[in-house]
Amino acid sequence: MKVEIWSDIACPWCYVGKARFEKALAAFPHRDRVEVVHRSFELDPGRAKGDVQPVITMLTRKYGMSEAQAQAGEENLGAQAAAEGLEYRTRDRDHGNTFDMHRLLHLAKEQGKQDELIQVLYRANFAEERSVFSEGDERLVELAVAAGLDAEDARKVLADPTAYADDVRADEREAAELGANGVPFFVLDRRYGVSGAQPAEVFTQALTQAWGERSPLQLLDQGDADACGPDGCAVPQS
């Protein structure tokens, strides 16, 4: 079974939702037969690469809330993250463009290290003091290396703005076609969708239902025919 997760590194509910999904997946009897793929989704695609601002400032301007309301929201998110065993800095985080991070995630996907990189990026953005937005490309290279990628491979991607750009845009178009207007958005075998950072129990139910309702292979009975198997190949008899 394949589970695709549309998310953004700047999305706190994606950070929390991933932990809740993984809790459900860890207890799922068929977890070794579940492939998880992370897909790109930008919450702020129009933001310029160098446009970095405090999260609280971004929230007050984008949603028209007061600073007190924005800070209360961050405190609530911190509590939700802590309940999942996650660290979360409720103050002094910043916000910026995530396009380059998504491009690196496609590089990591090719090398089988996508989950490692997204986890490193989440932790860096939500738990660590150093910014993932304001220190330039070398900060992202450092994080890519921490996830097991080669530093020069990461630098080459970041130096070429076209590298994996089409892959990111393709993910985003596909999200729109599937009706995802927010993240996290989980798609199970292209049959079921789960929106938001749902409780682990909801993910357990979704995994169980999707697994149980997979269509078994229907064989067309066209009579006996020669074939090869574990014991060898049938030899025609004259």
Side-chain angles (χ1 to χ4, degrees), residues 194-208:
V194 178
S195 181
Q198 299 286 349
E201 293 78 11
V202 173
F203 290 120
T204 297
Q205 180 183 357
L207 287 166
T208 302

Side-chain angles (χ1 to χ4, degrees), residues 18 42 102 141 143 165:
K18 182 176 186 292
E42 295 172 275
H102 286 294
V141 171
L143 295 171

Side-chain angles (χ1 to χ4, degrees), residues 164-181:
Y164 299 102
D166 288 344
D167 300 271
V168 175
R169 298 305 184 210
D171 277 357
E172 294 175 336
R173 285 194 302 272
E174 199 162 15
E177 291 167 1
L178 291 170
N181 52 18

Side-chain angles (χ1 to χ4, degrees), residues 101-119:
M101 297 180 209
H102 286 294
R103 295 196 298 119
L104 286 176
L105 283 166
H106 278 278
L107 167 68
K109 180 184 175 184
E110 286 188 351
Q111 299 186 12
K113 297 183 180 297
Q114 193 184 41
D115 192 71
E116 290 86 345
L117 180 57
I118 200 168
Q119 193 60 35

Side-chain angles (χ1 to χ4, degrees), residues 9-133:
I9 301 305
C11 166
W13 288 118
C14 296
Y15 179 46
V16 173
K18 182 176 186 292
R20 292 175 177 172
F21 170 76
E22 288 176 345
K23 184 182 293 184
L25 183 60
F28 186 57
H30 310 288
R31 59 187 174 275
D32 292 339
R33 296 177 63 189
V34 177
E35 176 191 6
V36 178
V37 178
H38 296 281
R39 301 290 192 190
S40 300
F41 190 105
E42 295 172 275
L43 289 175
D44 203 353
R47 181 177 292 270
K49 181 175 179 178
D51 184 5
V52 180
Q53 65 182 165
V55 166
I56 297 299
T57 301
M58 180 273 294
L59 291 172
T60 58
R61 292 178 179 175
K62 187 172 183 177
Y63 300 107
M65 59 178 66
S66 68
E67 287 192 10
Q69 289 172 320
Q71 187 59 54
E74 283 293 286
E75 298 294 340
N76 176 57
L77 278 162
Q80 299 269 1
E84 303 303 329
L86 302 172
E87 294 183 49
Y88 189 97
R89 295 177 65 238
T90 60
R91 296 178 182 274
D92 301 322
R93 288 194 307 107
D94 58 12
H95 176 80
N97 181 285
T98 57
F99 189 64
D100 284 347
M101 297 180 209
H102 286 294
R103 295 196 298 119
L104 286 176
L105 283 166
H106 278 278
L107 167 68
K109 180 184 175 184
E110 286 188 351
Q111 299 186 12
K113 297 183 180 297
Q114 193 184 41
D115 192 71
E116 290 86 345
L117 180 57
I118 200 168
Q119 193 60 35
V120 166
L121 291 172
Y122 276 144
R123 177 173 175 78
N125 185 40
F126 293 109
E128 297 179 5
E129 291 188 14
R130 292 178 61 193
S131 172
V132 297
F133 300 108

